[in-house]
Amino acid sequence: MSALTVREAGLEDAEAVLGVIHRAFGVRPVLDPPSTAMHETVESVRTVLSEAGGLLVLRRGLPVGAMIFDRSRSGLFGLRRVSVDPAHQGHGVASAMVGVAEDVAEHHGCDGVWLTAREELPETLSFWQRRGYVRIGADESSLQLGKTLPVTRTLLTAEDTRQLGTRLAGLLRAGDLLVLSGGLGAGKTTLAQGIGAGLSVRGPITSPTYAISRVHPSLLDGPALVHVDAYRLGGAAELDDLDLDASLEESVTVVEWGSGLVEGHSDDWLELRLDPVELAPGEDGRVIGVRPHGPRWVGVPLRATTLAP
Ligand SMILES: Nc1ncnc2c1ncn2[C@@H]1O[C@H](COP(=O)(O)OP(=O)(O)OP(=O)(O)O)[C@@H](O)[C@H]1O
Ligand SMILES: [Mg+2]
């Protein structure tokens, strides 16, 4: 038996969930204004569990972690009262619980997850930051943190790859940065062509063999597409060092072979990774992973947009 079991909490778990919440919040420093967690009762927890659900973590059969969900925002999945029994810290309880919560959010078709955290608790904030949560707002007493969930899709044909790019383009605006990775022939340029079509920019978009980057101006009133092939840069340069003849702020920038180039230099980017997958003997398709980074993508409907029509 594995040491940790994370499961969705049923009504019969209300008492166990409340116990963990009280043990966890009971040892926190008193903040101003104080948390209302200590006012929760079996009744209040049972009500939330019946309306929105929650999680309970058992360690060797004992309840050691809990949270309750908040479904009040459409498309976004809220986590509340994220609690680990202080006597059972350092065993990965919180990480396991958050991983399952993100799976539940995905299962419910949510684009992202949000929660509130107290600025006075830097360790709590860095826990969430390490998991890709970013600040999306604040009120007098607490910060709102959010994360857009990564999406994985299977693309049966090159046309699917192109169409996905076209649908993604509907989400894009000037200043956006997209980093395309995957091996040789993975479909990066095909995806860029779809994005270009969706943005209505002047083509053709091809693998830039000699040029490192090309600017494709908008045929309408929208942003230009800057298409960069960083293959020969070897990852040593930074995007800022490229002599791009269009400003990144005014364009949508798509970088093939760009991983390693932007991490740490930009707050916001969309990572798109393509990998071949064998659909049937001798018949290759692709799997694409779309992973958003930074506050720009919080609340952006990546999941719905990347679903096949
Ligand atoms: N989902 C898919 N299923 C099958 N084939 C695909 C798919 N997507 C793209 N392809 C095909 O893969 C080939 C390579 O595509 P593409 O040139 O876009 O790859 P690339 O990643 O840009 O390559 P490079 O590494 O040379 O830059 C093309 O023949 C394209 O039609
Ligand atoms: Mg290419």
Side-chain angles (χ1 to χ4, degrees):
M1 185 183 113
S2 92
L4 290 183
T5 310
V6 186
R7 62 172 164 84
E8 293 203 46
L11 295 185
E12 69 285 1
D13 294 317
E15 215 167 323
V17 168
L18 179 73
V20 178
I21 292 173
H22 279 176
R23 289 196 294 284
F25 281 81
V27 299
R28 285 199 185 178
V30 177
L31 304 172
D32 180 26
S35 165
T36 55
M38 297 309 280
H39 303 323
E40 294 278 12
T41 63
V42 176
E43 262 326 296
S44 70
V45 170
R46 190 175 289 142
T47 304
V48 185
L49 289 180
S50 73
E51 286 166 359
L55 292 180
L56 183 66
V57 188
L58 303 174
R59 180 164 182 250
R60 301 193 184 113
L62 289 177
V64 297
M67 70 166 76
I68 53 186
F69 300 146
D70 185 325
R71 306 298 312 277
S72 61
R73 295 190 187 185
S74 90
L76 288 178
F77 200 81
L79 312 184
R80 294 183 54 230
R81 310 292 194 220
V82 179
S83 301
V84 176
D85 187 318
H88 295 267
Q89 266 165 2
H91 297 284
V93 175
S95 294
M97 187 162 55
V98 173
V100 173
E102 291 176 355
D103 288 346
V104 175
E106 181 177 347
H107 180 76
H108 285 280
C110 290
D111 286 301
V113 177
W114 69 275
L115 57 108
T116 58
R118 300 290 289 249
E119 202 155 16
E120 303 97 310
L121 303 174
E123 283 177 21
T124 306
L125 292 179
S126 61
F127 169 86
W128 293 110
Q129 276 157 8
R130 282 196 303 280
R131 278 157 190 79
Y133 287 77
V134 294
R135 179 192 166 124
I136 54 173
D139 59 27
E140 329 67 68
S141 62
S142 53
L143 298 179
Q144 285 191 10
L145 306 180
K147 172 180 180 174
T148 300
L149 294 168
V151 177
T152 303
R153 296 280 179 253
T154 302
L155 303 165
L156 302 181
T157 62
E159 188 50 33
D160 283 356
T161 306
R162 210 168 282 119
Q163 278 180 18
L164 181 84
T166 302
R167 288 199 298 276
L168 270 179
L171 302 174
L172 302 177
R173 61 184 192 217
D176 285 345
L177 174 60
L178 280 64
V179 174
L180 277 45
S181 64
L184 277 169
K188 301 179 290 296
T189 301
T190 309
L191 186 67
Q193 287 165 348
I195 295 169
L199 290 175
S200 298
V201 297
R202 194 198 302 150
I205 293 170
T206 55
S207 288
T209 316
Y210 298 107
I212 286 187
S213 81
R214 280 215 187 100
V215 182
H216 300 271
S218 174
L219 298 170
L220 307 171
D221 203 13
L225 174 70
V226 177
H227 180 214
V228 183
D229 194 326
Y231 184 59
R232 269 164 290 108
L233 291 178
E238 294 167 13
L239 204 54
D240 294 343
D241 298 340
L242 296 180
D243 197 13
L244 299 176
D245 32 5
S247 120
L248 297 185
E249 288 78 58
E250 286 157 20
S251 320
V252 169
T253 305
V254 173
V255 189
E256 293 190 36
W257 299 100
S259 44
L261 221 69
V262 299
E263 288 88 340
H265 300 283
S266 179
D267 289 339
D268 300 291
W269 74 97
L270 196 63
E271 179 187 334
L272 299 142
R273 181 172 175 92
L274 285 147
D275 285 297
V277 61
E278 192 169 65
L279 303 167
E283 200 187 320
D284 263 2
R286 304 287 188 271
V287 168
I288 187 165
V290 183
R291 183 173 289 273
H293 297 267
R296 155 69 179 103
W297 307 104
V298 172
V300 173
L302 282 181
R303 189 163 302 275
T305 305
T306 55
L307 275 176

